[in-house]
Amino acid sequence: MTSRRIIDLLRHGEPGEVTTLCGWVRTKRELKDFAFLEVNDGSSLQGLQVVLESILPGYEELLRSLSTGASVTVEGVLVASQGKNQRVELKAQSVKVWGSADPETYPLQKKRHSFEFLRTIAHLRSRTNTLGAVFRVRNACSAAIHDFFQSRGFLWAHTPIITTGDCEGAGEQFAVTSFNLGQVPKAADQSVDFSRDFFGKPTYLTVSGQLEAEIMAMAFSNVYTFGPTFRAENSNTSRHLAEFWMVEPEMAFCDLEGDMDLAEAFLKHIFKAVLAQCPEDMAFFNERINPTAIATAETIIHSEFARITYTEAIAQLEKAPRTFEYPVEWGLDLQSEHERYLAEELFKRPVIVTDYPVGIKAFYMRLNEDERTVAAMDILAPNIGEIIGGSQREERLDVLERRMTAMNLSHEDYSWYLDLRRYGTVPHAGFGLGFERLVQFVTGMANIRDVIPFPRAPLSADF
C-alpha cells in the first residue's frame, strides 16, 4: 500500500487531494452523524484529524473497533479544517482496521502518565507525545552527528564491542564468556582457566572505542566512532546507564586548542540542526518539560563558550557566594554541583575547563610542562554539567611509558598502543560525548532512562 506520512500531509497537503494514511488511533470523538479520529504515525507530534460520516458502510461496527491504540489505513480526500489547530483534515472514504486495542486493558489513554509508569511499558511508551518527541529529536541528533563529521572528511570507524582492555581504567566492565557458569573450568591453582574460554583470555564489553580510534586516526587522520558502550557501574541514578552510546572523534596532527574548537563547533551544529528539523517537538519540550529548552539551544548556538583552566575554576569555586555539598580543593575532581555552578551561575553559558591535575585523569592524556597537569578539557553545560570530555593524547613514547609505569599498567598489554608512538607518532587529540546525555541536554528530560528506547540499568534489562 502507498500512503503519505502525516507530517507531509500537515505541511504540504492541499484540499482536494485524494490520499491514504496509515497509523494508530490516538483519540475518538463521536457526534450524532459523524465521528472524529486523531490518527498518528510517529512522524509528527501532531496527528491528523480524520472525519468519519455515518454514511460509511458498516459505520456502527467500525466505530466499535476504533478505540485508542487501534491501527488503521484510511483512504479519503483532504478538506480544509474547520478547527484552529491544523489547515487540513481527512474526510474518510474507507477505513481498514488492522488491529484493535481493548480499551479496558490498553495502558495508554488520553491522560498524563508518569515517566516511571511508562518505563514499565517500554514496548508501548514510544506512542506517547513525550517519548515520541524524544525519539524524533534523538534521531535528528544522530543524523546531525554524522553530517557534522562526514562534511569535514572524517572516517566513521567501527570499533570493537568485545575487548580485552579497559580504556578508562575504572575496572567496572561486563565480562564476556562462553563458559557454562555452572561448570567453569579451573586451572591447577583453582583460578578460572580462561585459556579454555572462547577467546582464550578474559574479555569484556567495551567502555570506550577511543584507543582503537587512535589506531585508525594514525592511518586516516580524522575519524570518529558512534556506537554502544557499557559500564558495570552499580549506579541507580537519573544520570547513569549500563548501556549507552558514545561519540568519539580522534584527530591526528591536532592539539588541545583544535580539540576544543571542534567540540564547540560540534555542539553548535547539533543544536542548530535540531531546532531546524524538530521545531514542533522542541516547542513541546519548552512548554511541557523545561521552559528554558529553546533558550538554552539558542545560547549554545550563538554564544562563545567560556574557557578557563582547572586552577582558575577552583579559585572561582572557592570564592563562590554559596556553599557546596562536596569540598572544593585543588587536586579533587569537580562534582556536578561545581560544574553546574560554573556554567549556570558564574558564566551563564557553556564553559570549557582545561588542564586538570594529572592524578585525576587517564594515563593517555598529554603531560603538561609543569608535570602537575595534563592537556585535558571538559565542556560543562547549563542544566546538566559535563557534556564532553577530551584531551590531547600523549604522543611521546618515553613520557607515555613513564605514565603507564606510575599507574601500574602493563606495557605488554598495551604494546600495540605504544607502537603507535614508535612508528610515526604525531600530536593528536579527541573527545568523548555520551549521546544520551546530549539528548537529555537538548530536550530537558530529567532522567536519562527516558531518552533511550530500552534503558539498561542495575536490575533492569527488560524488553
Side-chain angles (χ1 to χ4, degrees):
M1 73 190 67
T2 301
S3 63
R4 287 177 66 181
R5 299 288 275 168
I6 286 175
I7 191 169
D8 179 48
L9 293 172
L10 289 171
R11 291 179 178 177
H12 308 297
E14 292 297 335
E17 290 184 42
V18 177
T19 192
T20 301
L21 69 82
C22 300
W24 292 265
V25 175
R26 286 284 181 86
T27 62
K28 177 180 69 173
R29 183 162 56 96
E30 297 182 44
L31 299 178
K32 183 179 180 182
D33 294 318
F34 52 90
F36 295 110
L37 304 180
E38 182 193 354
V39 178
N40 191 284
D41 64 359
S43 63
S44 150
L45 182 69
Q46 185 179 10
L48 185 68
Q49 181 162 278
V50 175
V51 183
L52 307 180
E53 294 182 314
S54 59
I55 59 174
L56 280 173
Y59 177 74
E60 295 297 334
E61 182 180 352
L62 182 62
L63 284 186
R64 285 193 290 271
S65 62
L66 286 173
S67 58
T68 298
S71 52
V72 297
T73 292
V74 183
E75 296 179 348
V77 180
L78 290 178
V79 297
S81 178
Q82 301 300 308
K84 298 179 180 180
N85 295 327
Q86 56 190 26
R87 294 184 309 107
V88 293
E89 58 193 25
L90 186 63
K91 183 178 180 181
Q93 296 174 328
S94 69
V95 179
K96 168 69 175 178
V97 179
W98 296 101
S100 60
D102 183 353
E104 298 298 322
T105 60
Y106 185 61
L108 295 176
Q109 297 297 327
K110 192 176 181 181
K111 64 177 183 178
R112 288 196 179 186
H113 299 283
S114 72
F115 292 129
E116 291 80 5
F117 168 72
L118 291 176
R119 284 177 220 131
T120 69
I121 53 167
H123 57 304
L124 297 172
R125 69 173 182 164
S126 298
R127 301 184 190 184
T128 65
N129 284 339
T130 302
L131 275 297
V134 165
F135 297 137
R136 281 188 295 272
V137 167
R138 183 184 173 103
N139 174 71
C141 288
S142 298
I145 286 167
H146 286 297
D147 177 66
F148 177 84
F149 289 119
Q150 293 292 328
S151 67
R152 286 163 172 76
F154 278 66
L155 180 87
W156 183 18
H158 299 159
T159 53
I161 288 176
I162 298 174
T163 181
T164 58
D166 178 7
C167 173
E168 299 299 320
E172 296 168 328
Q173 295 175 275
F174 290 103
V176 175
T177 182
S178 64
F179 285 151
N180 176 347
L181 297 184
Q183 296 177 318
V184 177
K186 300 293 183 66
D189 63 358
Q190 293 304 300
S191 63
V192 176
D193 184 2
F194 284 104
S195 68
R196 297 167 62 182
D197 204 354
F198 188 92
F199 293 104
K201 62 183 71 174
T203 52
Y204 310 92
L205 295 179
T206 185
V207 300
S208 169
Q210 180 206 310
L211 302 188
E212 291 86 356
E214 287 188 53
I215 294 175
M216 300 297 283
M218 293 304 105
F220 297 97
S221 297
N222 293 332
V223 303
Y224 71 104
T225 75
F226 187 11
T229 54
F230 308 85
R231 303 282 169 89
E233 182 179 358
N234 192 20
S235 294
N236 219 334
T237 75
S238 61
R239 290 170 50 85
H240 293 88
L241 290 168
E243 176 186 327
F244 56 97
W245 285 62
M246 283 280 285
V247 181
E248 296 175 296
E250 200 70 33
M251 296 80 69
F253 308 100
C254 183
D255 59 13
L256 186 64
E257 193 73 21
D259 199 29
M260 291 189 289
D261 290 344
L262 187 84
E264 181 171 343
F266 174 65
L267 285 179
K268 290 177 183 293
H269 176 88
I270 292 171
F271 274 90
K272 188 174 181 179
V274 170
L275 285 184
Q277 295 174 30
C278 303
E280 184 185 30
D281 294 317
M282 288 302 295
F284 173 84
F285 291 123
N286 204 76
E287 178 184 348
R288 298 290 186 90
I289 303 299
N290 184 338
T292 68
I294 291 178
T296 297
E298 296 286 356
T299 298
I300 296 294
I301 294 167
H302 299 295
S303 67
E304 181 179 348
F305 292 11
R307 299 186 182 189
I308 61 171
T309 66
Y310 167 89
T311 299
E312 292 167 340
I314 291 297
Q316 292 290 344
L317 291 166
E318 286 177 334
K319 62 184 182 183
R322 53 162 292 185
T323 58
F324 297 104
E325 179 181 355
Y326 292 92
V328 175
E329 181 182 330
W330 199 98
L332 298 181
D333 209 353
L334 299 180
Q335 300 297 317
S336 178
E337 60 175 341
H338 306 144
E339 295 168 345
R340 293 188 61 174
Y341 169 78
L342 293 170
E344 295 171 21
E345 299 183 44
L346 185 62
F347 290 100
K348 296 181 172 58
R349 56 189 166 123
V351 55
I352 308 178
V353 179
T354 66
D355 303 305
Y356 282 79
V358 65
I360 60 174
K361 289 296 183 180
F363 75 96
Y364 51 74
M365 297 187 178
R366 194 180 199 277
L367 191 65
N368 288 329
E369 296 305 314
D370 61 13
E371 298 209 347
R372 299 177 68 235
T373 60
V374 291
M377 67 93 177
D378 287 342
I379 297 184
L380 314 180
N383 303 322
I384 200 164
E386 182 191 341
I387 188 71
I388 282 178
S391 73
Q392 184 173 341
R393 317 311 189 189
E394 184 56 77
E395 86 281 8
R396 298 164 295 185
L397 177 62
D398 60 330
V399 178
L400 182 59
E401 288 180 323
R402 179 155 49 93
R403 291 286 313 281
M404 291 173 65
T405 298
M407 299 181 73
N408 296 316
L409 294 174
S410 167
H411 290 214
E412 181 180 357
D413 290 346
Y414 289 92
S415 60
W416 57 271
Y417 192 66
L418 294 170
D419 276 353
L420 299 179
R421 278 71 179 170
R422 293 188 181 100
Y423 309 126
T425 189
V426 299
H428 59 291
F431 61 81
L433 167 81
F435 183 56
E436 282 71 28
R437 290 274 182 92
L438 171 68
V439 180
Q440 270 192 284
F441 186 25
V442 174
T443 61
M445 295 293 288
N447 196 311
I448 200 167
R449 300 184 194 192
D450 297 323
V451 297
I452 189 170
F454 307 104
R456 300 290 181 252
L459 303 179
S460 177
D462 299 324
F463 310 100

